[in-house]
Amino acid sequence: MKKITRRNFIGQSLLGGVGLGLGLSLLPSQESEASTTQKSEYTLTRHIPIEEGYDLLVAGGGPSGLAAALSAARLGGKVLLVEGTGCLGGMATSGLVSAFPRIGDGKDLMAGGILWELIEKMRERGYLGPGMVPEKYAKPPYCWIPFNAEGYKLLLDDLVKEAGIEVRFFTKLIDVEASASEGKVAGAILHNDEGYRFVRAKAYIDCTGDATLAHLAGVECREAGRDTPNIMPASLFQYVCNIDFKRIKGGSGYLKQAVEDGFFTQPEYSLTGLYKAGKSFGALNAGHVFNLDALRNKNLSEGMMWGRKVAREFFEFYKKYVPGYENAEQIATSALMGVRESRRIVGEYELCYEDLRTLRVFPDQIGVFRYHIDIHPYKADPNVHNTTRSKTLKKFLDGEHFGVPYSILVPKGWDNLWVAGRSVSSDILANGSIRVQPVCIMMGEAAGAAAMQAIRTGTTARTLDTKQLVTTLRKQGAYLPQPVLNKEMTRH
Ligand SMILES: Cc1cc2nc3c(=O)[nH]c(=O)nc-3n(C[C@H](O)[C@H](O)[C@H](O)COP(=O)(O)OP(=O)(O)OC[C@H]3O[C@@H](n4cnc5c(N)ncnc54)[C@H](O)[C@@H]3O)c2cc1C
């Protein structure tokens, strides 16, 4: 194994060549309120083993990352998938967000490819929620598709093994070597208990949810709370068992009563809901963590502790006020914070609210979907909640859906880097719709196929023939009904 030595790298272009100098400077964060001892810079020097020979490095194994890795590996790529936790699935498993929204548009099924395969394989193995049969979720009026997060983890383990993907759990991507002027990533620094590794691949896909790889590479990004005035609140999911589902009747009336009784430390006026993931247990999405800046560790750490308190209080509320929950028990809160908004890249195209409102069809669309624009209240105030929602909600009629173009996966000016999932190039309103898991899976599948196509044809993310990409995705089962295809991607 080759090794590289880390020295100061700030301000240098380090593309190409083995034995480069790389450095890791520990600088006090400017916004940090951390200890006053962090005043000066400290430079470390280390020898880091280099690993080469990969076609693709995928950072993050959530809905977009697992689809990206599967798609590329099935097209023959040598893929390394790195995931910070100990399982795949991201928010679906570590975040306990175990339900897909409706996958039909009222006339047609929008799910194909890997998304459809995941649903069907979960059904075959008995991992979907009770009563989940294709007649219910694949035909009008369609229902939400809850599933058991533990079963989903097992399925994903099997799929990545079958596809020959090298998976590294408990491994974080912590730095990137790249040239923004050339639009190229040269390699990524990974870290786990064995130390640092410098990994080179031909292509890179950022599926971290926070655009971490892209940001570290120097891609232009927008950050909630800094580039926008507000941050949508986060939520910590929880699994609750011993629920008597037959006796449940709504919850908002009970919530109003509890708020009037002074039950909550942080009064809230909205209930998002419960997914029936098993016969007597469900995934509960209740309560918000307001002003959580997921990109600042101090904030995120404090938010997790606060989130657990909020989740417990909501659990106690259900037990006390809502029929059917009297004997309920809390199984677990999620290990990952449910972040709705953090960082979004600036891509070759930015999907915007107008595109959704006008049901825009893109020649290079890699998926179609419809989901309401889900903007949560920025503070615990009923008026803020209602105003925001009523202004932005788009109601879809039967048969209506919008297109998700390839070019929102491509960071502006970059050649061997794609971003898929929540942090793609989109305005806040459009992002409020496309961040759901089915769309993230479609985006991941497309990014994986695009990366392999670029490698094989000697093209780049920006010069990719999108007609060929759409044809590949259709062959993989994707529902892409656009009548006209173009070689060029959609740009502004
Ligand atoms: C409260 C809440 C409720 C939601 N409800 C629903 C719902 O009901 N249905 C639905 O379909 N969608 C829902 N969503 C949206 C959806 O869950 C997410 O937007 C979606 O999971 C995003 O997918 P992703 O692949 O971009 O990232 P994620 O699911 O966030 O996965 C990212 C993965 O990358 C890993 N990672 C991050 N950084 C690194 C790093 N540096 N190195 C290595 N690994 C890293 C993480 O551990 C994680 O596993 C909800 C979201 C929230 C927050």
Side-chain angles (χ1 to χ4, degrees), residues 278-351:
K279 278 193 188 120
S280 69
F281 79 96
L284 186 58
N285 178 7
H288 289 103
V289 182
F290 292 95
N291 292 316
L292 178 104
D293 184 347
L295 303 175
R296 296 288 177 266
N297 186 272
K298 185 172 188 287
N299 214 239
L300 185 59
S301 302
E302 287 170 358
M304 285 300 288
M305 294 189 209
W306 177 245
R308 282 190 276 272
K309 278 191 199 296
V310 172
R312 184 73 196 183
E313 220 170 65
F314 264 91
F315 165 72
E316 300 286 358
F317 150 73
Y318 272 86
K319 254 179 103 73
K320 182 169 175 192
Y321 285 86
V322 187
Y325 286 86
E326 295 86 349
N327 299 315
E329 288 178 80
Q330 188 185 40
I331 303 177
T333 54
S334 69
L336 283 179
M337 175 53 79
V339 175
R340 294 187 173 86
E341 234 194 303
S342 57
R343 189 186 283 125
R344 289 164 292 129
I345 60 154
V346 174
E348 290 289 337
Y349 181 74
E350 183 180 83
L351 193 72

Side-chain angles (χ1 to χ4, degrees), residues 60 63-64 83-84 90-91 97 99 101 144 173 275 338 340 422 435 437:
S64 57
E83 166 53 46
M91 284 309 299
V97 182
W144 276 62
L173 174 136
Y275 310 128
R340 294 187 173 86
R422 177 166 62 82
R435 67 169 189 263
Q437 293 171 56

Side-chain angles (χ1 to χ4, degrees), residues 211-265:
T212 305
L213 194 168
H215 167 70
L216 291 170
V219 170
E220 189 186 351
C221 294
R222 299 202 170 101
E223 294 186 357
R226 276 172 287 280
D227 299 309
T228 58
N230 299 304
I231 309 178
M232 227 190 297
S235 296
L236 207 64
F237 262 68
Q238 56 186 313
Y239 262 17
V240 174
C241 71
N242 280 344
I243 303 168
D244 184 354
F245 284 109
K246 286 189 243 64
R247 296 184 48 242
I248 293 181
K249 282 190 229 115
S252 29
Y254 305 112
L255 183 67
K256 194 165 175 283
Q257 184 60 57
V259 171
E260 280 168 19
D261 293 350
F263 182 85
F264 290 104
T265 315

